[in-house]
Amino acid sequence: MDFLLECIGFPPDMDREALMTLVRERGEPVAYRGPHGEHLRLALTEGLELRLDREEEQGPTNLLPYYREPSRLRVAVDKISRTADSPADALLLGWAAPPIPGDLDGGAPGAYRLTMWITDARRLPRHLTLGQVLAVSLAGFCLDTTFVGPNDGGCDASILERPHGFSFQVLNGEGVPGGCAELSARVKAVRHIQNTLTGRAVDVLEVDAPGRDLHLFVSPWQLSEESLPAPRPGFRIEGSFLFTGRLSGGLGRQRPAAQVAFG
């Protein structure tokens, strides 16, 4: 999924092999990724990183964007799934911004259904209690942008009536990568930073969301190809995003209870 690197300032015609060589020369080990294979990070600027991952000598090498989100979002866990080819990662499915104990009153178990890849899954205990609340730090990288424009535009006007005018629909099914969602959100702010390797501008979008605002990254090349304007405050953005991040709290020892299965 090299096109995801466009979201952080790497052009479509980048030399992938040269980029991997650079990460191997300048990168540093990533914590909690494991003792085998290659697990390197190369800091770019202001929280942006390039991650190189390979579990086995003959296995595929992944080169992906990463953002060290400083804020935390509370998530009530429904399920944690692991993959055999990447034991340091886990797919989280749960509810964002769950109510504090005693405030549920028959309502939803959270503000919205959320999915993401946890990249430091080795920190997870073997079992979690169903509904246990973790703190995570995450960011979204655009797979496909379908709309950028006035806040009252987009494909479904009813979203404007929801809390924060926000929609997060978890994607699943055959051929759909884990950790992906269809998102519709209002852009609150745009921070302009620069990829120090390419000199290209990178826009960090802050969008309005329940519980905590989210940070998103989109490809300017894709926007241009689709004749979409650059996101700006007050605009709405819609599309499919891959969400990744890390654990940032909620890992204390738990009392015995119903346990969440690990896939």
Side-chain angles (χ1 to χ4, degrees):
M1 297 195 293
D2 289 346
F3 60 88
L4 287 175
L5 298 179
E6 295 178 18
C7 295
I8 61 169
F10 291 97
D13 60 354
M14 68 178 182
D15 186 333
R16 187 176 189 273
E17 293 300 322
L19 198 53
M20 289 193 296
T21 298
L22 188 64
V23 177
R24 290 186 175 109
E25 291 175 349
R26 301 186 187 179
E28 59 185 27
V30 182
Y32 302 107
R33 295 298 296 176
H36 305 295
E38 292 181 297
H39 310 283
L40 300 171
R41 58 181 288 269
L42 180 62
L44 300 175
T45 182
E46 299 188 48
L48 281 186
E49 295 180 1
L50 193 56
R51 293 275 180 105
L52 184 149
D53 273 292
R54 185 177 65 168
E55 288 294 333
E56 301 175 356
E57 185 174 348
Q58 301 302 321
T61 301
N62 294 318
L63 199 61
L64 294 169
Y66 188 82
Y67 180 62
R68 298 186 66 83
E69 168 61 49
S71 301
R72 298 180 175 190
L73 176 66
R74 296 169 60 250
V75 179
V77 177
D78 274 353
K79 185 178 181 181
I80 299 283
S81 301
R82 295 185 184 271
T83 60
D85 59 347
S86 186
D89 295 309
L91 183 62
L92 167 65
L93 181 65
W95 286 89
I100 61 174
D103 286 354
L104 184 57
D105 294 331
Y112 60 93
R113 198 80 161 138
L114 179 135
T115 186
M116 64 172 288
W117 282 105
I118 295 173
T119 61
D120 55 353
R122 293 185 185 276
R123 298 178 61 201
L124 285 167
R126 177 57 186 166
H127 297 287
L128 296 173
T129 57
L130 184 63
Q132 179 177 336
V133 177
L134 299 176
V136 299
S137 299
L138 74 160
F141 300 91
C142 192
L143 299 167
D144 180 46
T145 309
T146 56
F147 177 81
V148 178
N151 183 53
D152 58 358
C155 62
D156 186 354
S158 68
I159 293 174
L160 298 175
E161 301 175 3
R162 301 181 187 180
H164 298 260
F166 177 85
S167 174
F168 189 110
Q169 299 294 322
V170 175
L171 295 175
N172 49 44
E174 187 176 354
V176 177
C180 295
E182 286 284 350
L183 180 141
S184 177
R186 180 177 64 87
V187 179
K188 292 180 64 175
V190 180
R191 183 161 58 95
H192 307 289
I193 59 179
Q194 186 182 59
N195 181 319
T196 52
L197 285 181
T198 65
R200 301 275 187 168
V202 177
D203 288 344
V204 187
L205 311 184
E206 180 181 341
V207 301
D208 196 359
R212 180 183 68 75
D213 295 340
L214 298 178
H215 285 123
L216 307 176
F217 296 83
V218 299
S219 164
W221 291 276
Q222 185 192 108
L223 294 178
S224 176
E225 183 176 333
E226 300 293 334
S227 299
L228 293 171
R232 64 180 190 230
F235 268 20
R236 176 161 297 274
I237 184 167
E238 296 185 336
S240 55
F241 289 80
L242 172 70
F243 287 87
T244 65
R246 60 187 174 85
L247 296 162
S248 50
L251 297 174
R253 186 175 180 180
Q254 301 297 308
R255 292 172 294 179
Q259 294 175 331
V260 177
F262 282 75

